[in-house]
């Protein structure tokens, strides 16, 4: 994996593809907010590793798997369609296994696989693979922009919005999901306040959402995950707005970063509207029950440890690599599920590019929500499994 430093330009995507070198270009999210580092993955295995290790994370962004698939396909040498097919299946399996809970990468790769069937030769299929991956990325960015427009009426001057994890620009090809209405409302002069949760154990709220909001000039306050109850009890939250990794189109269950269910229960207790913002690729039309959703369990070290930069004056003066320190008693067993599931009765609305729907309306509205395009997508894939912590 090649790395490089440069500050992201406004509108620059954190995930893109360089066709000339056949590399996927990723903003290394493990380094933020301490330093801006770009990483160029040399082959599909490196792209799969980058997804697993959370160099790139967030459901729509890890649809970078589609670029990884195109990258693997383009690296094939030869003309034999049989061997080519076996190679494609190998690449697909490796990328699918990288993060099992989000459905977006599975959807994105299914589109690539469907597109290449139209090619008669290996070369034609290579070209179709890249075109399909690019098409998915552009559409995903456009959908985030569109859902931002749909969600704009929810954001009023003077209100306080609570968000969790990072469902921002970094988690998507562009705009973000939960942040898209916030960015648009801010651009249009509305003044509001955002509370972002720290989001242990990986701290996506503290490291990424806070960084994004600060760069956008949006007023915000970072809180510990455990402060949400008091914040709501004191009447300081008007709206909860989160993203999702998989919404079941048949039942309306919402899978999102661990702790989302806690927020939904608290919001319900305090009568606060709870909205989930998603592009259409986050809708899973296959699964019939939330018990079928694979919940990724990650390395116990994520809970035992914390990552950051030292606070010494010398270290502060220079950009420095984050380090991992142990916080917990090292011999205590740990359980580290990365996602939870919020039942539909706790969700006020699902904000999509096609409008805002009650979770139990999704199935009846499926034609407007891209069901026909996605019906051929892969079904449930991985069982729950463990992943190593990133270095
Ligand atoms: O483990 P992560 O950081 O990939 O989890 C991300 C989330 O849970 C986001 O809320 C979700 O992907 C929606 S992002 C638009």
């Amino acid at each position: 994996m090649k790395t490089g430093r440069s500050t992201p330009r406004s509108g620059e995507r954190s995930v893109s593809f360089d066709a000339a070198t056949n590399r996927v270009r990723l903003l290394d999210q493990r380094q933020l907010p301490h330093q801006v580092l770009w990483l160029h993955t040399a082959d599909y295995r490196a792209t799969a590793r980058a997804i697993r290790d959370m160099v790139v994370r967030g459901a729509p962004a890890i649809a970078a798997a589609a670029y990884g698939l195109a990258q693997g396909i383009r690296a094939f040498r030869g003309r034999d369609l049989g061997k080519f097919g076996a190679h494609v299946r190998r690449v697909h399996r490796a990328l699918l296994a990288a993060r099992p809970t989000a459905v977006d990468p599975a959807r994105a790769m299914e589109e690539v696989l469907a597109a290449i069937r139209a090619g008669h030769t290996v070369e034609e299929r290579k070209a179709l693979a890249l075109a399909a991956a690019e098409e998915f990325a552009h559409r995903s960015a456009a959908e985030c922009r569109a859902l931002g427009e749909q969600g704009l009426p929810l954001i009023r001057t003077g209100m306080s919005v609570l968000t969790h994890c990072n469902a921002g620009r970094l988690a998507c090809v562009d705009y973000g999901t939960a942040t898209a209405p916030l960015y648009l409302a801010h651009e249009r002069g509305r003044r509001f306040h955002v509370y972002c949760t720290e989001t242990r154990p990986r701290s996506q709220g503290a490291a990424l959402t806070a960084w994004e909001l600060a760069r956008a000039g949006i007023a915000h306050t970072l809180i510990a995950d455990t402060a949400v109850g008091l914040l709501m009890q004191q009447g300081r939250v008007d709206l909860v707005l989160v993203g999702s990794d998989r919404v079941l189109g048949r039942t309306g269950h919402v899978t999102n970063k661990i702790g989302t269910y806690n927020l939904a229960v608290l919001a319900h207790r305090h009568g606060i509207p709870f909205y989930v913002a998603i592009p259409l690729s986050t809708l899973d039309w296959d699964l019939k029950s939330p018990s079928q959703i694979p919940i990724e369990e990650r390395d116990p070290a994520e809970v035992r440890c914390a990552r950051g930069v030292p606070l010494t004056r010398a270290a502060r003066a220079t950009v420095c690599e984050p380090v991992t320190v142990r916080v917990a008693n090292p011999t205590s067993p740990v359980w580290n599920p990365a996602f939870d599931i919020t039942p539909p009765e706790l969700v006020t609305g699902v904000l999509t590019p096609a409008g805002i729907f009650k979770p139990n309306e999704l199935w009846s509205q499926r034609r407007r929500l891209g069901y026909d395009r996605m019906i051929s997508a892969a079904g449930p894939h991985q069982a729950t499994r463990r992943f190593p912590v990133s270095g």
Side-chain angles (χ1 to χ4, degrees), residues 336-368:
N336 185 17
F339 299 95
D340 62 24
I341 301 170
T342 299
E345 61 272 18
L346 298 181
V347 178
T348 312
V350 181
L351 172 53
T352 77
I356 303 179
F357 301 90
K358 293 268 172 222
N360 61 10
E361 287 173 343
L362 296 172
W363 182 247
S364 65
Q365 296 295 322
R366 61 193 179 278
R367 309 259 170 245
R368 288 174 64 192

Side-chain angles (χ1 to χ4, degrees), residues 29 51 54 56-62 99 102 104 144 163-172 176-179 199 202 204 208 242-246 255-258 260 277-279 282 296 298 338-339:
Q29 301 192 26
I51 293 172
M54 296 176 68
V56 57
R57 33 66 49 205
I62 57 173
R99 298 284 312 266
D104 305 62
C144 286
T163 192
H164 184 54
C165 190
N166 173 259
R169 208 161 240 140
L170 292 164
C172 300
T177 55
T179 57
T199 320
R202 293 286 302 212
Q204 291 95 327
L208 306 177
V242 295
S244 172
D245 295 83
R246 187 188 294 244
T255 316
N256 193 44
K257 180 52 54 194
I258 191 77
T260 302
I278 54 164
T282 306
E296 177 186 356
R298 296 187 62 89
F339 299 95

Side-chain angles (χ1 to χ4, degrees), residues 175-240:
Y175 301 106
T177 55
T179 57
L182 303 177
Y183 285 139
L184 288 180
H186 183 73
E187 269 169 40
R188 291 178 198 187
R190 296 181 205 170
R191 292 297 169 250
F192 51 88
H193 197 88
V194 180
Y195 287 98
C196 49
T197 54
E198 180 187 18
T199 320
R200 279 284 291 154
R202 293 286 302 212
S203 305
Q204 291 95 327
L208 306 177
T209 304
W211 183 75
E212 277 197 35
L213 294 173
R215 280 163 54 96
I218 295 178
H220 63 283
T221 303
L222 179 63
I223 56 168
D225 300 319
T226 41
V228 168
L230 182 66
L231 191 77
M232 290 188 179
Q233 206 173 40
Q234 291 185 348
R236 293 163 68 178
V237 180
D238 300 303
L239 172 74
V240 181

Side-chain angles (χ1 to χ4, degrees), residues 68-108:
L69 183 54
Q71 177 184 39
I73 287 173
R74 293 173 92 233
F76 180 79
R77 294 286 164 257
R79 293 183 187 170
D80 184 312
L81 279 174
K83 286 186 184 153
F84 175 76
H87 171 75
V88 173
R89 283 192 291 281
R90 217 169 19 249
V91 176
H92 182 224
R93 265 199 309 275
L95 288 157
L96 207 49
R99 298 284 312 266
T101 300
V103 75
D104 305 62
R107 296 292 181 212

